[in-house]
Amino acid sequence: MDMLLFELEKDGGKPLYDQLYSGIKEAIITKKIAVGEKLPSKRKLADFLNISQTTIEIAYAQLLAEGYIMSKSRVGYFVEEIDDLPYIQPDTTAFINEQPKKKSFNIDFNPGSIDIDAFPFQTWRKYARDLFDDASKELLLTGEPQGEPALRTEIANYLYQSRGVVCSPEQIVIGSGTEQLLPMILRLFSEDTCFALENPGYPTVHRMFSQYKRKVLPIAVDDEGIVIHALEKTSADVVYITPSHQFPTGAVLSATRRAQALNWAAQSPSRYIIEDDYDSEFRYTGKPIPALQALDRNDKVIYMSTFTKSLMPSLRVAYFVLPPKLLATYNDVFNYYSSTVPRFDQHIVANFMRDGHFSKHLNRMRKVYRKKHDKLTTILENYSSQVKMTGEQAGMHVLLNVQHPLSEQQLQQHANNAGIGIYPLSDYRLDGLLSTQVQFLLGFGGIPVHQIEASIERLMDCWNIPKITLMADNH
């Protein structure tokens, strides 16, 4: 055959062997090189193209491996019959799925952010280093499905001491986040079970219920939390609530509502409450409020929590506590299950808790967040003529009620244009209805305390909300 003619871009980004391989393959597929035809020897082709024989050898080896050519010992390489070979020329650009870039802001009031500067890296590193050793080689194997007994024991002790939750380690299931655990809880109930969700509430939770094709009823929330009288009028069997610090309004479920919720659940064997206690560690007014599960005398509460706010979101360690009545159902449904949290991570957390470092870290973070909380609320008082604050008793965000001629969306756009991330309450409504009120979630966990005043001032400036002018005392 004639010498192969290929344009090789020696200064291009693609390796020469890859260019040669692609060129010969294309020629074979399009029948420019006939079946059975002999390819030039490596030496001759190398001389002709002025490239190394190694480059030719790599290209030929790939063609040989994929069945486009065959080798005859001491004779050379010949084109193989490829009529029966499936071939699709890949379009390397067609399958690139451009992920939407997350918006970046100079100031971000994201309610999910935490203070990353106060994390005890040195202590955490010590526990990690101690575990990654030959003495811990058994952790390379699969552990118990519900999670490591050591961590479940520490969680049970912590919940009893801090939240009043009475449970055994056997009732606890550990998983990688609410997104993984909540679908497991859904499977404990029949497909025709009707669920009630707080409105407004977690959009992610609502999406998960919808993805699993579960019937969902939104229940209104007021300044005392979820409206139990509205729940009682529905056909719901299970209700998902955030009683200690309702997300996103920040309302705390009143004592009366707590009793009403437990009474509602006790009225039917099929009724249960899913209690998400997501940031109960941080409370700034009065004594800590006990978990709803701690008040339950009828085993009707499924308790959920996570280390997202107390340690770090990227840890992906969450857990739920099942009532004894549901534990048998869980064991039947998930007898194949393997824990989704690496055993090493579980033992790092367990040892961190066992030696008292988790309690110390929480105490330190309570002081950090209280300082931020107090700074934030003090600064916001300067704008109280147009801005009212609610939900400030606990957690790492407050709810702003803004008196302004512009809408939530317009104010959000003004803030975004100024490099400020702010989150309207309407984004969390499950019924899609727009409120007549202008309300925003204002997270302060991720903002350094020394930047809070300037951050609030920039937000108010872009909204043209002035500070209150204090009248001088003439007496």
Side-chain angles (χ1 to χ4, degrees):
M1 65 168 288
D2 294 333
M3 194 62 67
L4 294 170
L5 296 177
F6 294 109
E7 291 287 336
L8 300 180
E9 298 180 12
K10 297 186 178 181
D11 295 328
K14 193 175 182 180
L16 292 175
Y17 71 84
D18 200 6
Q19 295 182 49
L20 183 61
Y21 151 79
S22 298
I24 296 176
K25 182 176 72 171
E26 181 68 21
I28 293 173
I29 292 168
T30 58
K31 308 297 184 182
K32 291 179 181 177
I33 307 177
V35 173
E37 197 164 350
K38 184 181 179 182
L39 298 183
S41 69
K42 289 179 283 187
R43 182 183 60 80
K44 287 183 178 180
L45 189 56
D47 290 343
F48 180 76
L49 296 175
N50 193 24
I51 57 179
S52 71
Q53 289 191 42
T54 302
T55 299
I56 308 296
E57 186 174 356
I58 294 173
Y60 278 8
Q62 186 62 33
L63 290 165
L64 185 65
E66 295 184 13
Y68 290 100
I69 62 176
M70 60 177 292
S71 174
K72 293 183 180 179
S73 181
R74 299 184 181 181
V75 179
Y77 295 94
F78 296 83
V79 175
E80 185 69 280
E81 174 64 59
I82 63 165
D83 287 347
D84 296 331
L85 288 177
Y87 174 76
I88 299 175
Q89 179 64 41
D91 181 355
T92 56
T93 61
F95 298 101
I96 296 176
N97 184 11
E98 289 264 349
Q99 294 294 324
K101 291 184 178 179
K102 189 176 180 181
K103 288 184 180 179
S104 178
F105 300 106
N106 297 326
I107 300 169
D108 196 350
F109 291 106
N110 191 320
S113 296
I114 66 167
D115 190 309
I116 59 177
D117 293 325
F119 187 78
F121 282 102
Q122 187 173 352
T123 305
W124 194 266
R125 183 165 55 245
K126 174 187 177 299
Y127 283 102
R129 186 174 60 245
D130 291 348
L131 268 180
F132 285 94
D133 185 83
D134 286 346
S136 303
K137 60 187 177 183
E138 77 278 358
L139 297 183
L140 298 172
L141 303 175
T142 303
E144 291 198 15
Q146 288 180 218
E148 295 299 290
L151 180 54
R152 286 188 281 133
T153 298
E154 293 301 328
I155 289 173
N157 292 336
Y158 165 72
L159 290 179
Y160 177 71
Q161 295 167 8
S162 66
R163 306 297 296 128
V165 172
V166 178
C167 67
S168 68
E170 288 72 30
Q171 292 173 254
I172 297 173
V173 177
I174 295 169
S176 52
T178 303
E179 298 89 343
Q180 194 256 335
L181 290 181
L182 192 54
M184 295 176 67
I185 293 176
L186 295 184
R187 291 188 57 192
L188 300 179
F189 299 97
S190 63
E191 293 186 359
D192 59 353
T193 299
C194 182
F195 294 86
L197 299 181
E198 297 169 322
N199 182 37
Y202 275 116
T204 301
V205 169
H206 185 233
R207 282 195 294 269
M208 280 191 283
F209 277 84
S210 299
Q211 286 172 356
Y212 283 83
K213 296 180 172 54
R214 297 307 181 104
K215 184 179 180 182
V216 173
L217 300 173
I219 306 296
V221 171
D222 61 19
D223 56 2
E224 291 187 58
I226 188 170
V227 180
I228 304 300
H229 287 316
L231 172 66
E232 291 171 340
K233 295 176 182 178
T234 71
S235 59
D237 301 295
V238 181
V239 61
Y240 171 97
I241 57 176
T242 51
S244 295
H245 188 230
Q246 200 277 330
F247 188 88
T249 67
V252 176
L253 193 66
S254 67
T256 300
R257 298 271 178 94
R258 287 168 181 261
Q260 289 174 347
L262 291 172
N263 289 335
W264 169 85
Q267 289 171 11
S268 170
S270 62
R271 288 183 179 175
Y272 284 91
I273 299 169
I274 302 173
E275 176 184 15
D276 189 340
D277 209 27
Y278 72 101
D279 69 352
S280 60
E281 297 90 353
F282 306 107
R283 181 167 176 78
Y284 312 112
T285 304
K287 296 181 179 180
I289 297 175
L292 194 62
Q293 196 267 10
L295 307 175
D296 180 24
R297 296 293 177 266
N298 297 293
D299 293 331
K300 286 294 187 174
V301 177
I302 302 168
Y303 180 91
M304 293 184 66
S305 193
T306 173
F307 290 99
T308 294
K309 295 290 182 72
S310 57
L311 282 174
M312 51 181 144
S314 63
L315 185 62
R316 308 308 299 151
V317 176
Y319 53 90
F320 58 71
V321 179
L322 285 176
K325 296 175 184 177
L326 288 178
L327 197 54
T329 305
Y330 170 86
N331 290 328
D332 288 340
V333 174
F334 293 101
N335 52 22
Y336 63 90
Y337 174 74
S338 295
S339 180
T340 53
V341 180
R343 296 183 72 191
F344 282 97
D345 289 350
Q346 293 189 54
H347 279 274
I348 291 172
V349 178
N351 295 342
F352 189 77
M353 297 178 77
R354 178 198 64 203
D355 295 341
H357 293 292
F358 182 60
S359 295
K360 292 178 183 176
H361 176 64
L362 280 181
N363 288 334
R364 184 166 57 250
M365 297 314 298
R366 286 188 186 103
K367 294 176 183 177
V368 169
Y369 291 130
R370 178 181 288 278
K371 192 173 182 180
K372 292 185 178 187
H373 168 273
D374 293 348
K375 183 75 171 179
L376 180 83
T377 53
T378 299
I379 299 303
L380 284 172
E381 286 175 1
N382 296 328
Y383 302 92
S384 59
S385 62
Q386 288 183 249
V387 175
K388 305 297 180 185
M389 185 176 30
T390 57
E392 71 274 17
Q393 301 97 330
M396 287 184 278
H397 78 271
V398 299
L399 188 66
L400 291 187
N401 295 271
V402 184
Q403 299 296 321
H404 205 284
L406 297 181
S407 67
E408 277 185 349
Q409 289 69 30
Q410 290 171 322
L411 289 177
Q412 182 186 32
Q413 191 60 55
H414 277 294
N416 290 172
N417 293 342
I420 302 172
I422 191 78
Y423 304 88
L425 184 66
S426 58
D427 287 353
Y428 300 88
R429 292 197 63 87
L430 308 185
D431 51 18
L433 299 177
L434 293 178
S435 172
T436 55
Q437 292 181 293
V438 176
Q439 298 174 293
F440 291 92
L441 277 70
L442 197 74
F444 55 85
I447 300 179
V449 67
H450 65 275
Q451 294 180 11
I452 288 178
E453 183 171 6
S455 299
I456 294 296
E457 287 178 350
R458 280 192 58 185
L459 176 64
M460 297 301 154
D461 284 346
C462 80
W463 286 349
N464 291 319
I465 296 178
K467 285 185 178 180
I468 295 175
T469 302
L470 298 177
M471 300 295 292
D473 190 348
N474 297 322
H475 296 287

